């Protein structure tokens, strides 16, 4: 299945604008990422084994701060792109392009335009959706809903795709497509959340109509006078404040542990806390960030959109507008009724063999990944914090765990972190370096990358739960 690996290049070379900072990330000093890479032969082995481009790209470099996780990630991504599966190779890359375009993620679009051509894709399709077969075009609606409001996906959407005569999708094909869409929506969150720089190497940019630069670069110039600022000097807070912020967080974790042992909240109280958190999560962000943005951000968005919008329909459709108008209720999805472990996993495995195991390993890996440290502290049990991050993402998508006390989310995630989570998860293209710098100022960059991995996997799992539940309902 390695067929499409290294074929000839298209002659049209277009220079990518140079990133504004050196290294794989605009948010993380180059030396922090590079130090991790030089030590690790394992990373090089993984890239040779599982990278479709055969190169150490910027995403992989940043993820290699967590080598164990990186292996799970690359194995599952390689499986969905290259191993036996229901969809032809070029289609897989085109679906990745469609998914990344929902968030205007030029980094991923460029990468998959390149791979699409290398695996024998028809160049004309890159002119936009009106040039692709109707069957692929039919994925539009589910791409849009999965990316922004997955709770709206119903079995009717599934029926429409599998029963459209000559353009119908078989269920295995549809599951493969859904896994790809969810993977690339979530990966766009990681790309923007970690400030991944465009690839400098022209290898990646021999494609068609390259989109020049990831939009965070431009907004960051507008937001920060010097993008190379070290996190602390760049913020208005002293080191003293951020140290006390860290101590306060440790203190709250300790107190929550003790309270857990003392008393259980009633089911009613737990439900109320979830509904309150869900409702509040809808309004996180809108106030803080929109008005403080310089005008140039939005102009930049417009330029990017015109180039990317050929791969999507209804580009204005997003997560936030329903909350602002208050016209749609975000329904609650009771996690017990349809879990990944008991329902989603087996359905995926049945229709698209082995991917279920790979995804399951990746979800478990990120959820259980810990070094028992928090900033300068060692021997810390961070389970509570990891769970709060994961569950808060699911809460924004309406997914509720009956046995979880959502009061913990409020205790553990301060406002600037909630703003960051909401932005990275729901509209990653708006993430800025200032948002990344503003939370957990004493924490290491590798810990913030760990946060981004948790957000990415929680988001992917949420999208899959809604899509797979609709497929299950279609089958029953």
């Amino acid at each position: 299945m390695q067929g499409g690996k290294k074929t000839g290049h298209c002659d049209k070379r277009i220079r990518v604008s140079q990133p504004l900072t050196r290294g794989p990330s605009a948010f993380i000093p180059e030396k922090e990422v590079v130090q991790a890479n030089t030590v690790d032969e394992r990373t090089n082995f993984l890239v040779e084994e599982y990278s479709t481009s055969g190169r150490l790209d910027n995403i992989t470099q940043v993820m290699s701060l967590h080598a164990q996780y990186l292996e799970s990630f690359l194995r599952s991504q390689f499986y969905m792109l290259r191993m036996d599966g229901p969809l032809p190779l070029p289609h897989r890359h085109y679906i990745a392009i469609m998914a990344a375009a929902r968030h205007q993620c030029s980094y991923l679009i460029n990468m998959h335009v390149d791979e699409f051509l290398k695996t024998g894709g028809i160049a004309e399709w890159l002119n936009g959706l009106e040039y692709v077969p109707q069957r692929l075009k039919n994925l539009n609606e589910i791409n849009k809903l999965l990316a922004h409001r997955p709770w709206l996906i119903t079995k009717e959407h599934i029926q429409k795709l599998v029963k459209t005569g000559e353009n119908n999708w078989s269920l295995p094909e549809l599951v493969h497509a859904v896994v790809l869409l969810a993977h690339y929506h979530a990966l766009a969150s990681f790309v923007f959340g970690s400030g991944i720089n465009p690839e400098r190497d022209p290898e990646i940019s021999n494609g068609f109509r390259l989109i020049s630069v990831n939009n965070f670069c431009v907004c960051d110039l507008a937001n920060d006078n010097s993008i190379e600022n070290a996190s602390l000097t760049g913020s208005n807070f002293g080191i003293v404040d951020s140290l006390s912020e860290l101590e306060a967080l440790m203190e709250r974790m300790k107190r929550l542990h003790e309270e857990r042992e003392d008393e259980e909240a009633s089911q009613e109280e737990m439900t109320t806390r979830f509904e309150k958190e869900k409702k509040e999560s809808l309004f996180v962000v809108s106030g803080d960030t929109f008005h403080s943005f310089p005008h140039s951000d939005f102009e930049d968005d417009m330029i990017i959109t015109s180039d990317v919008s050929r791969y999507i329909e209804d580009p204005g459709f997003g997560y936030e507008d329903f909350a602002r108008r208050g016209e749609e209720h975000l329904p609650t999805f009771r996690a017990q009724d349809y879990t990944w472990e008991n329902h989603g996993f087996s359905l995926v495995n049945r229709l698209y063999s082995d991917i279920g195991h790979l995804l399951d390993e990746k979800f478990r890996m990120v959820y259980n990944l810990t070094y028992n440290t928090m900033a300068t502290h060692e021997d810390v049990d961070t389970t509570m914090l990891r769970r709060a991050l994961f569950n808060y993402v699911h809460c924004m998508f309406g997914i509720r765990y009956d046995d979880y006390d959502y009061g913990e989310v409020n205790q553990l995630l301060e406002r600037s972190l909630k703003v960051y989570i909401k932005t990275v998860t729901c509209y990653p293209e708006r993430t800025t370096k200032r948002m990344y710098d503003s939370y957990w100022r004493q924490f290491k960059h590798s810990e913030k990358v760990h946060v981004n991995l948790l957000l990415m996997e929680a988001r992917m799992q949420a999208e899959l739960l809604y899509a797979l539940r609709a497929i299950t309902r279609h089958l029953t």
Side-chain angles (χ1 to χ4, degrees):
M1 290 300 298
Q2 298 259 333
K5 231 179 181 181
K6 295 196 171 67
T7 51
H9 293 310
C10 200
D11 295 332
K12 260 187 162 165
R13 299 226 160 194
I14 300 172
R15 203 170 63 82
V16 178
S17 353
Q18 288 304 317
L20 300 172
T21 50
R22 290 183 300 280
S25 160
F27 297 173
I28 304 169
E30 185 175 16
K31 58 179 186 297
E32 295 212 17
V33 182
V34 174
Q35 274 166 351
N37 286 339
T38 43
V39 196
D40 195 16
E41 289 168 31
R42 182 83 191 133
T43 302
N44 293 328
F45 166 76
L46 289 173
V47 168
E48 282 169 28
E49 209 56 16
Y50 297 119
S51 158
T52 51
S53 64
R55 64 202 297 273
L56 181 61
D57 58 44
N58 291 344
I59 293 180
T60 312
Q61 285 191 61
V62 172
M63 275 187 192
S64 70
L65 291 167
H66 301 282
Q68 266 180 303
Y69 169 82
L70 177 66
E71 180 157 358
S72 288
F73 174 84
L74 286 175
R75 283 180 58 197
S76 63
Q77 182 174 261
F78 186 77
Y79 190 89
M80 56 183 99
L81 290 175
R82 283 292 180 276
M83 301 295 278
D84 286 336
L87 294 172
L89 297 189
H91 284 60
R92 302 178 193 194
H93 292 292
Y94 201 86
I95 290 168
I97 293 169
M98 288 172 72
R102 285 299 336 165
H103 290 302
Q104 305 161 30
C105 185
S106 54
Y107 178 90
L108 289 173
I109 292 171
N110 289 338
M111 182 180 264
H112 288 281
V113 159
D114 206 54
E115 298 268 320
F116 171 76
L117 292 169
K118 282 181 187 167
T119 50
I122 297 167
E124 195 190 8
W125 291 12
L126 298 174
N127 291 326
L129 286 177
E130 57 273 30
Y131 296 87
V132 304
Q134 187 60 41
R135 221 164 139 260
L136 268 175
K137 218 192 260 176
N138 290 347
L139 281 181
N140 247 314
E141 187 69 7
I142 205 163
N143 181 24
K144 174 177 100 170
L145 295 178
L146 262 183
H148 307 295
R149 305 186 210 166
W151 55 90
L152 296 179
I153 292 175
T154 62
K155 66 175 183 187
E156 283 71 32
H157 291 108
I158 306 302
Q159 273 155 4
K160 218 160 146 186
L161 287 163
V162 295
K163 296 191 172 154
T164 43
E166 68 207 64
N167 297 315
N168 69 323
W169 287 76
S170 70
L171 279 173
E173 288 171 328
L174 186 57
V175 167
H176 193 170
V178 158
V179 167
L180 285 163
L181 290 171
H183 176 79
Y184 283 102
H185 295 151
L187 191 52
S189 284
F190 182 82
V191 167
F192 286 115
S194 307
I196 300 292
N197 271 327
E199 296 293 334
R200 287 194 149 182
D201 183 351
E203 270 288 289
I204 200 113
S205 60
N206 58 22
F208 231 63
R209 304 204 190 183
L210 253 187
I211 302 154
S212 60
V213 67
N214 258 352
N215 39 353
F216 60 72
C217 293
V218 181
C219 359
D220 270 327
L221 273 189
N223 267 325
D224 277 331
N225 300 331
S226 157
I227 201 167
E228 303 244 0
N229 276 346
S231 326
L232 288 167
T233 52
S235 71
N236 316 327
F237 303 94
I239 289 180
V240 183
D241 287 355
S242 57
L243 270 173
S244 53
E245 176 188 81
L246 172 66
E247 299 309 325
L249 178 58
M250 303 278 292
E251 193 47 52
R252 284 197 298 277
M253 286 168 72
K254 201 171 125 204
R255 202 179 60 237
L256 284 169
H257 264 299
E258 289 158 5
E259 283 172 9
R260 264 186 194 171
E261 284 156 22
D262 292 350
E263 51 168 328
E264 282 279 294
S266 69
Q267 268 312 115
E268 263 165 317
E269 177 56 24
M270 300 268 267
T271 307
T272 310
R273 286 176 191 175
F274 170 77
E275 290 299 333
K276 179 172 178 284
E277 200 54 57
K278 181 176 82 172
K279 197 166 173 202
E280 281 175 9
S281 79
L282 299 178
F283 298 100
V284 165
V285 162
S286 39
D288 319 33
T289 48
F290 289 150
H291 308 305
S292 61
F293 274 169
H295 188 56
S296 66
D297 274 4
F298 290 112
E299 291 178 325
D300 184 51
D301 269 356
M302 297 334 301
I303 299 164
I304 299 274
T305 311
S306 61
D307 217 355
V308 170
S309 56
R310 71 180 85 156
Y311 298 121
I312 51 175
E313 282 171 5
D314 196 2
F317 186 90
Y319 176 96
E320 79 285 354
D321 25 35
F322 85 93
R324 240 184 270 159
R325 292 197 299 268
E327 63 193 30
E328 242 177 71
H329 172 60
L330 173 54
T332 294
F333 178 131
R334 288 182 66 250
Q336 292 50 6
D337 299 342
Y338 196 92
T339 64
W340 165 255
E341 293 77 11
N342 301 334
H343 307 90
F345 169 74
S346 52
L347 177 69
V348 167
N349 253 3
R350 198 172 85 224
L351 291 168
Y352 175 21
S353 64
D354 282 348
I355 193 68
H357 289 293
L358 290 163
L359 292 176
D360 192 56
E361 182 196 323
K362 185 163 64 90
F363 292 146
R364 284 173 201 272
M365 170 68 71
V366 81
Y367 198 74
N368 297 319
L369 183 67
T370 182
Y371 305 93
N372 297 307
T373 60
M374 265 176 72
T376 47
H377 295 261
E378 296 188 354
D379 299 321
V380 189
D381 180 356
T382 58
T383 311
M384 180 184 273
L385 201 50
R386 282 176 281 133
R387 195 171 178 196
L389 289 162
F390 199 90
N391 288 2
Y392 186 57
V393 170
H394 280 197
C395 170
M396 289 187 300
F397 289 109
I399 298 170
R400 171 177 178 229
Y401 295 88
D402 281 356
D403 60 349
Y404 183 68
D405 177 357
Y406 288 84
E408 290 190 6
V409 163
N410 251 348
Q411 295 283 310
L412 297 172
L413 311 181
E414 29 113 10
R415 178 150 182 88
S416 61
L417 176 52
K418 280 184 169 175
V419 167
Y420 176 79
I421 294 171
K422 174 77 182 276
T423 307
V424 168
T425 309
C426 302
Y427 9 81
E429 60 281 5
R430 294 185 196 161
T431 314
T432 63
K433 183 174 189 296
R434 175 176 288 183
M435 286 178 196
Y436 173 90
D437 286 339
S438 70
Y439 83 92
W440 284 5
R441 291 185 304 275
Q442 278 294 303
F443 282 67
K444 299 192 269 293
H445 285 289
S446 60
E447 291 171 313
K448 291 191 167 191
V449 170
H450 187 182
V451 169
N452 288 340
L453 295 175
L454 270 163
L455 303 183
M456 165 171 83
E457 294 298 353
R459 176 178 181 186
M460 180 175 186
Q461 195 182 91
E463 288 191 23
L464 284 177
L465 284 172
Y466 279 111
L468 297 172
R469 180 179 72 167
I471 292 173
T472 299
R473 287 177 174 172
H474 159 72
L475 287 169
T476 44

